[in-house]
Amino acid sequence: MTDPTTDDAGIARRALPLLDLTNLADICTTSHIEALCRDARAGSVAAVCVWPQFVGEAARALKGTPIRVATVVNFPAGGEDIERAVEDAAEAISDGAHEIDLVLPYRAILRGDAETARGLVEAVRDVCHKTCLKVILETGALGEPERIDEASRLAIEAGADFLKTSTGKSPVSATPQAAEAMLRAIRAHGGGRRVGLKVSGGLRSVADAATYLALADRVMGSDWAEPATFRLGASSLYGELTAAVARAS
């Protein structure tokens, strides 16, 4: 009997329901969103993540399914305009977004201004209410594990439901080292509240998915990684996962 923790098809079957199928390309059209939602339905993924202007379209296309619609605010630069971020989040929720991916103002963290970063997360948290708030740390810019831990703790204390590694637009995206630092921060600072992790940026192969699933199992326990607590954000991964399942059929 094959081991689902090591064989490609087993890993793919486990990873597909955790996938946030994403199109945040600079050029994105209605036809791209239609194709994204078709793939999301076919793969029974956790969510799609789209630009704010496509939230309504994605919500209509996925109506009647459990697939969630996520969008981004202050993305990818991590701007510090609280009023704009709050307005954008509120509009996206009104359009049908179930999840908001907010970029932590990581430049504020880098200059030692934690309060600016905290204030923006708290303000957006206030408008999210029942909406899942995922806070993107841009770990490649933060660099050191100690700084990633600091940013993780700040985001958790400010009300993040998920921590997310990166925008996917930076020179350094997700790394196992950053993901481990974030998982350990979730375990240490969650305070009994369920906080998830989304690994995003640079995932392209079944082996990449396996690396992060094994990491989550090791740090958090083998029953922790489920759609409510763990996501993989990568459109390029979808084809690899579905091909691995097809090869085993």
Side-chain angles (χ1 to χ4, degrees), residues 10-246:
I11 292 163
R13 290 189 185 99
R14 187 180 177 198
L16 272 168
L18 306 174
L19 196 65
D20 279 8
L21 201 54
T22 302
N23 191 326
L24 295 171
D26 293 336
I27 299 175
C28 183
T29 66
T30 295
S31 62
H32 292 135
I33 299 303
E34 291 171 351
L36 188 79
C37 292
R38 282 197 301 271
D39 285 346
R41 282 175 171 269
S44 298
V45 303
V48 298
C49 186
V50 300
W51 289 112
Q53 62 267 34
F54 296 114
V55 165
E57 181 180 343
R60 289 188 293 274
L62 296 170
K63 186 176 180 179
T65 78
I67 301 167
R68 297 168 68 83
V69 177
T71 193
V72 292
V73 298
N74 77 333
F75 183 94
E80 299 173 17
D81 186 334
I82 292 178
E83 183 177 355
R84 174 67 183 274
V86 167
E87 288 177 356
D88 289 350
E91 183 176 355
I93 293 167
S94 177
D95 288 343
H98 306 109
E99 301 179 359
I100 298 295
D101 288 22
L102 170 74
V103 184
L104 184 76
Y106 59 90
R107 292 182 182 86
I109 297 291
L110 291 172
R111 65 174 185 264
D113 182 8
E115 288 312 303
T116 291
R118 184 185 303 273
L120 189 140
V121 176
E122 290 177 341
V124 175
R125 169 78 274 167
D126 286 345
V127 300
C128 281
H129 303 301
K130 296 180 180 180
T131 304
C132 177
L133 176 61
K134 305 206 290 292
V135 178
I136 306 169
L137 302 190
E138 201 66 292
T139 54
L142 292 175
E144 297 299 322
E146 295 78 12
R147 195 173 282 147
I148 294 170
D149 178 76
E150 174 194 356
S152 298
R153 182 171 184 171
L154 183 154
I156 292 168
E157 291 176 349
D161 297 303
F162 264 77
L163 304 181
K164 180 176 171 181
T165 56
S166 49
T167 61
K169 304 286 188 178
S170 58
V172 178
S173 292
T175 66
Q177 294 76 19
E180 180 164 357
M182 295 165 76
L183 286 168
R184 294 192 180 281
I186 288 168
R187 194 175 65 183
H189 308 309
R193 185 169 64 87
R194 185 171 67 178
V195 178
L197 175 69
K198 177 175 175 178
V199 181
S200 181
L203 282 73
R204 295 183 175 85
S205 68
V206 176
D208 290 334
T211 293
Y212 289 104
L213 284 166
L215 179 60
D217 289 347
R218 175 166 59 82
V219 177
M220 304 300 288
S222 59
D223 59 348
W224 182 80
E226 56 183 21
T229 54
F230 189 73
R231 303 281 183 84
L232 300 169
S235 287
S236 56
L237 188 56
Y238 176 80
E240 295 297 314
L241 297 178
T242 54
V245 171

